[in-house]
């Protein structure tokens, strides 16, 4: 992350790390949280969770007006601890999972892109992370 601004978002989820990891990595769960607002959804997710494995999630407006694929390749996977990947646009992401008793802290650091403001990017990624927290705690 030497050439780009690094942005960090985080949350603490009231669930054990094993559940948090499962909900973060299994496509059936990914489809239920990978969007920032209720007028969006994730109609498709595929995940080959291993170093060199690929992932792809389709994020779409529920009204059908817009959709895009979010994907990349895993560069480091340490079960229940860390996931690192390179997105299709070559930016890198690192997600740390820290067990805190019956809770799990998730810290996600990603390289900023050049189109949207740092504040907008941080807000969007935080909204998705908050949606993940809500989904995981309620299910």
């Amino acid at each position: 992350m030497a050439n780009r601004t690094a942005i960090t978002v985080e949350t603490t989820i009231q669930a054990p790390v094993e559940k948090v990891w499962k909900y973060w990595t299994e496509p059936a769960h990914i489809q239920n949280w990978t969007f920032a607002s209720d007028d969006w959804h994730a109609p498709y997710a595929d995940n080959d969770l291993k170093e060199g494995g690929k992932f792809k999630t389709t994020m779409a407006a529920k009204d059908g007006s817009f959709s895009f694929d979010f994907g990349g390749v895993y560069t480091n996977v340490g079960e229940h601890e860390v996931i690192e990947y390179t997105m299709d646009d070559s930016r890198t992401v690192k997600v740390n999972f820290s067990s805190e008793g019956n809770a799990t802290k998730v810290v996600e650091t990603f390289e900023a892109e050049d189109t949207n403001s740092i504040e907008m990017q941080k807000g969007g990624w935080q909204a998705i992370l908050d949606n993940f927290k809500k989904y995981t705690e309620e299910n």
Side-chain angles (χ1 to χ4, degrees), residues 50-130:
K50 65 182 181 191
E51 288 181 29
K54 295 181 180 181
F55 67 91
K56 181 173 95 170
T57 303
T58 300
M59 298 179 194
K62 288 182 179 176
D63 67 7
S65 63
F66 188 77
S67 71
F68 66 94
D69 290 333
F70 177 81
V73 177
Y74 292 109
T75 57
N76 181 28
V77 177
E79 189 173 19
H80 300 161
E81 293 179 5
V82 65
I83 296 173
E84 294 180 73
Y85 59 89
T86 301
M87 291 184 272
D88 289 340
D89 66 4
S90 299
R91 294 181 296 136
T92 60
V93 179
K94 182 176 185 177
V95 187
N96 286 48
F97 301 83
S98 304
S99 181
E100 298 179 348
N102 202 35
T104 304
K105 185 173 184 179
V106 178
V107 179
E108 190 171 18
T109 302
F110 63 97
E111 289 181 311
E113 43 92 350
D114 298 326
T115 304
N116 297 296
S117 71
I118 299 297
E119 295 78 20
M120 180 182 274
Q121 291 177 70
K122 184 171 186 167
W125 283 60
Q126 185 67 55
I128 293 169
L129 188 57
D130 292 345

Side-chain angles (χ1 to χ4, degrees), residues 20-67:
V20 170
W21 184 267
K22 178 179 179 177
Y23 279 40
W24 188 272
T25 61
E26 291 184 4
H29 291 296
I30 292 168
Q31 289 182 264
N32 288 301
W33 62 265
T34 311
F35 40 90
S37 63
D38 289 338
D39 53 342
W40 281 69
H41 66 146
Y44 176 83
D46 186 43
N47 194 26
D48 185 16
L49 186 65
K50 65 182 181 191
E51 288 181 29
K54 295 181 180 181
F55 67 91
K56 181 173 95 170
T57 303
T58 300
M59 298 179 194
K62 288 182 179 176
D63 67 7
S65 63
F66 188 77
S67 71

